[in-house]
Amino acid sequence: GNLATMWMLVPVSFTLKLLSAFVQHLGSMWSSLGTLFPRLSTAFWLAGGQKSQQQRGRRKPRKPSREDKEDRDLPITPISVNYHFTRQCNYKCGFCFHTAKTSFVLPLAEAKRGLLLLKEAGMEKINFSGGEPFLHDRGRYLGQLVKFCKQELQLPSVSIVSNGSLIRERWFQNYGEYLDILAISCDSFDEQVNVLIGRGQGNKNHVENLQKLRTWCQDYRVAFKINSVINRYNVDEDMTEQIKALNPIRWKVFQCLIIEGENSGEDALREAEPFVISDEEFEAFLDRHKDVPCLVPESNQKMRDSYLILDEYMRFVNCRNGRKDPSTSILDVGVEEAIKFSGFDEKMFLKRGGKYVWSKADLKLDW
């Protein structure tokens, strides 16, 4: 019995020795850390004090400036959206900055779902563009979207930008009542210049077609608008007489814009550099047309960040770095998340007159 007790006590005594050694080691650790803890606690206290001070500063700013409010991460409302649903086009304009890199077009149901998401996020105006929007399904796809936006979503403004070459009167008969504004791209009233730019259509005359479309807009109660890109080939032209005769509600005059990967660079389908004009040349063109009341000028500075552009996948494209960087599609992550990456400058949008009387019901036009 004594032998068994002895064998039991051996592990116990061994354990006690180990424990004693550990306590001694721990004691030396505590003594070495003793000087460190006050320093650490002081540092944490100071950091906490600074943080709480910052929080108090945020909660009770003495005088909140306008800039402070604007710098907060507030959601962007997509009031006016440009949906480039196709990149395909029948023209070859040398300065085009939304070129035919893909032939993709969303299924109609998916496009409608995206438009509904935009409406729910605050969209008031949709502009359909391309490429050439009347090219896909001979304009029927576009017509269905226009009708959906006006009839189902009840948007105040539905507009289209087109080169006008493929529009038929039957389209106006079917969908004209749902369209507020039709903008036709016309860069020159000299047909030879149009050919140089890339708007040549064989025997068709771009300028004559413009007059026909003006008449159809009048007949089917659609507000008529003209877009012109001022470039090397038309910068010296005087369009005053022709614009006044056509009498559009707006004449949007753009300065030729370079976008890396679209109309400039190795991967680009266009080389727009030969079309580029200086800011001074653009100003001289504007000065020549200062008596045209419907003139709405847009320099590169105004244009680059002041448009909300959706590509064919319904991704917002950010042009801030001189190229088009796409967000994730609104169909995958929603509007609020995707729009954060749009680079949209709301102040510039308002400064350039992006919000105007854009519903034909409010335009009081003499049809």
Side-chain angles (χ1 to χ4, degrees):
N2 290 338
L3 191 64
T5 305
M6 188 179 74
W7 279 111
M8 285 174 66
L9 288 171
V10 169
V12 172
S13 64
F14 181 70
T15 305
L16 286 170
K17 280 184 179 180
L18 278 175
L19 190 60
S20 173
F22 176 72
V23 169
Q24 282 179 358
H25 183 63
L26 193 64
S28 65
M29 276 178 65
W30 275 114
S31 63
S32 64
L33 286 170
T35 56
L36 183 61
F37 272 125
R39 292 177 192 173
L40 285 170
S41 61
T42 304
F44 279 122
W45 182 82
L46 283 170
Q50 283 178 343
K51 187 178 179 184
S52 61
Q53 201 172 16
Q54 286 167 357
Q55 285 171 341
R56 282 197 299 275
R58 276 202 295 271
R59 277 199 298 270
K60 289 185 179 180
R62 261 185 327 200
K63 266 191 176 181
S65 70
R66 192 172 167 186
E67 284 74 24
D68 289 337
K69 289 178 184 174
E70 286 162 354
D71 286 341
R72 287 177 192 163
D73 190 19
L74 295 171
I76 300 166
T77 304
I79 297 172
S80 176
V81 177
N82 297 273
Y83 177 25
H84 296 251
F85 68 82
T86 178
R87 284 178 173 269
Q88 298 299 298
C89 190
N90 59 327
Y91 276 8
K92 292 181 173 61
C93 302
F95 48 71
C96 181
F97 61 80
H98 202 74
T99 49
K101 291 182 165 187
T102 74
S103 56
F104 181 80
V105 176
L106 272 173
L108 189 64
E110 282 292 272
K112 286 181 177 181
R113 180 167 76 88
L115 291 165
L116 175 60
L117 290 173
L118 288 161
K119 165 70 192 297
E120 289 169 346
M123 178 174 69
E124 296 176 21
K125 180 180 187 290
I126 183 73
N127 179 53
F128 295 105
S129 188
E132 171 47 49
F134 282 89
L135 191 59
H136 184 67
D137 195 24
R138 298 188 175 185
R140 283 189 291 266
Y141 180 93
L142 173 62
Q144 289 297 307
L145 291 182
V146 166
K147 186 176 180 179
F148 173 75
C149 286
K150 184 56 78 172
Q151 201 171 56
E152 303 296 322
L153 301 184
Q154 297 190 327
L155 292 182
S157 184
V158 181
S159 69
I160 296 169
V161 174
S162 166
N163 62 37
S165 64
L166 302 171
I167 306 176
R168 303 291 173 260
E169 188 173 7
R170 182 166 291 279
W171 193 94
F172 280 96
Q173 291 167 351
N174 293 332
Y175 305 110
E177 63 182 291
Y178 310 111
L179 183 65
D180 290 275
I181 302 166
L182 175 65
I184 301 298
S185 300
C186 180
D187 304 318
S188 176
F189 290 92
D190 181 334
E191 199 58 28
Q192 287 180 316
V193 173
N194 282 321
V195 171
L196 283 171
I197 286 169
R199 291 198 192 277
Q201 277 284 288
N203 295 327
K204 292 181 184 174
N205 186 299
H206 190 77
V207 179
E208 285 175 12
N209 196 49
L210 191 68
Q211 185 57 60
K212 182 175 67 177
L213 290 164
R214 178 71 185 92
T215 304
W216 283 343
C217 283
Q218 183 88 7
D219 293 345
Y220 294 94
R221 302 195 166 205
V222 175
F224 181 70
K225 181 179 165 187
I226 295 175
N227 287 355
S228 299
V229 177
I230 309 311
N231 60 82
R232 178 58 48 217
Y233 296 103
N234 65 3
V235 69
D236 296 320
E237 197 172 326
D238 190 337
M239 308 181 190
T240 304
E241 192 181 320
Q242 293 92 337
I243 293 292
K244 282 185 174 179
L246 287 161
N247 192 28
I249 57 155
R250 278 160 82 83
W251 179 32
K252 216 47 157 336
V253 173
F254 302 97
Q255 183 179 358
C256 180
L257 181 68
I258 293 286
I259 298 286
E260 186 72 24
E262 294 282 357
N263 61 10
S264 176
E266 287 181 18
D267 300 329
L269 295 177
R270 303 269 185 271
E271 283 299 328
E273 279 85 354
F275 292 85
V276 172
I277 57 169
S278 67
D279 293 348
E280 291 75 20
E281 286 174 306
F282 184 63
E283 286 301 323
F285 180 91
L286 297 178
D287 189 59
R288 195 181 312 127
H289 295 88
K290 63 180 183 290
D291 295 332
V292 180
C294 58
L295 172 66
V296 180
E298 291 205 3
S299 64
N300 287 347
Q301 184 204 357
K302 282 185 181 178
M303 190 179 171
R304 196 183 296 277
D305 309 326
S306 66
Y307 280 84
L308 273 175
I309 297 174
L310 275 182
D311 71 5
E312 64 273 25
Y313 301 101
M314 282 201 160
R315 304 176 302 188
F316 286 107
V317 291
N318 184 330
C319 299
R320 286 209 162 174
N321 296 316
R323 57 180 187 270
K324 285 186 174 176
D325 298 320
S327 69
T328 310
S329 174
I330 67 169
L331 298 169
D332 296 327
V333 298
V335 176
E336 191 175 336
E337 185 61 30
I339 206 169
K340 290 176 185 175
F341 303 96
S342 64
F344 179 61
D345 186 339
E346 205 159 4
K347 284 189 286 185
M348 186 58 83
F349 165 75
L350 295 170
K351 187 179 176 182
R352 71 168 171 82
K355 195 163 196 305
Y356 58 97
V357 182
W358 52 31
S359 172
K360 66 181 178 183
D362 301 327
L363 282 167
K364 299 181 178 65
L365 295 176
D366 180 15
W367 303 112

